Amino acid sequence: MNIQIFGKAKSFETKKAERYFKERRIKYQYIDLGKYGISKGELTSVLRSVKLADLIDPKHPDAALLTYLAYDQDKVEKLLDNPTLLQAPIVRNGKQATVGYQPEVWKGWE
């Protein structure tokens, strides 16, 4: 198992996800979206498991602007430019990925 958690420093959901894996002694790599963002390849991999609409943080002030972009590729570019628009946490295990706190899915990964 190769777990990556893409999260935000002040996100309660991110902290819960980290706690879930710590309690089970499952090693993971934490990537701060605000500091490091997400690469195009990683985002493309996540999009194979998760719908684009589910990745957008509805609480972000600029989230409404994404609805005006006609093409998904334009939305992806905007997310890469401003990774704080992404919902956190994004938890990735190889080719599988989830958005938000999803312990019922993660149990199947163990």
Side-chain angles (χ1 to χ4, degrees), residues 54-68:
D54 294 341
L55 282 177
I56 299 167
D57 184 357
K59 296 175 189 161
H60 194 284
D62 294 338
L65 296 174
L66 287 177
T67 60
Y68 294 108

Side-chain angles (χ1 to χ4, degrees), residues 3 12 25 28 31 39 44 61 64-65 84 93 110:
I3 304 293
F12 181 66
R25 292 186 174 89
Y28 64 89
I31 298 102
S39 75
T44 303
L65 296 174
T84 61
N93 178 24
E110 295 175 29

Side-chain angles (χ1 to χ4, degrees), residues 8-93:
K8 296 177 185 173
K10 295 181 180 180
S11 164
F12 181 66
E13 296 288 305
T14 298
K15 301 279 186 235
K16 282 178 23 181
E18 286 186 271
R19 189 174 335 114
Y20 176 89
F21 291 104
K22 278 181 187 172
E23 286 173 354
R24 286 155 184 78
R25 292 186 174 89
I26 298 170
K27 290 186 180 187
Y28 64 89
Q29 177 188 14
Y30 173 75
I31 298 102
D32 188 331
L33 285 169
K35 199 182 250 186
Y36 302 107
I38 188 168
S39 75
K40 189 171 187 171
E42 290 165 333
L43 185 56
T44 303
S45 175
V46 169
L47 284 169
R48 290 186 191 117
S49 300
V50 179
K51 291 183 214 162
L52 179 60
D54 294 341
L55 282 177
I56 299 167
D57 184 357
K59 296 175 189 161
H60 194 284
D62 294 338
L65 296 174
L66 287 177
T67 60
Y68 294 108
L69 296 174
Y71 301 105
D72 285 351
Q73 190 56 41
D74 293 339
K75 292 176 185 179
V76 168
E77 291 299 323
K78 189 72 173 165
L79 291 172
L80 289 169
D81 290 343
N82 186 0
T84 61
L85 280 162
L86 290 164
Q87 183 90 294
I90 298 170
V91 181
R92 210 174 119 202
N93 178 24

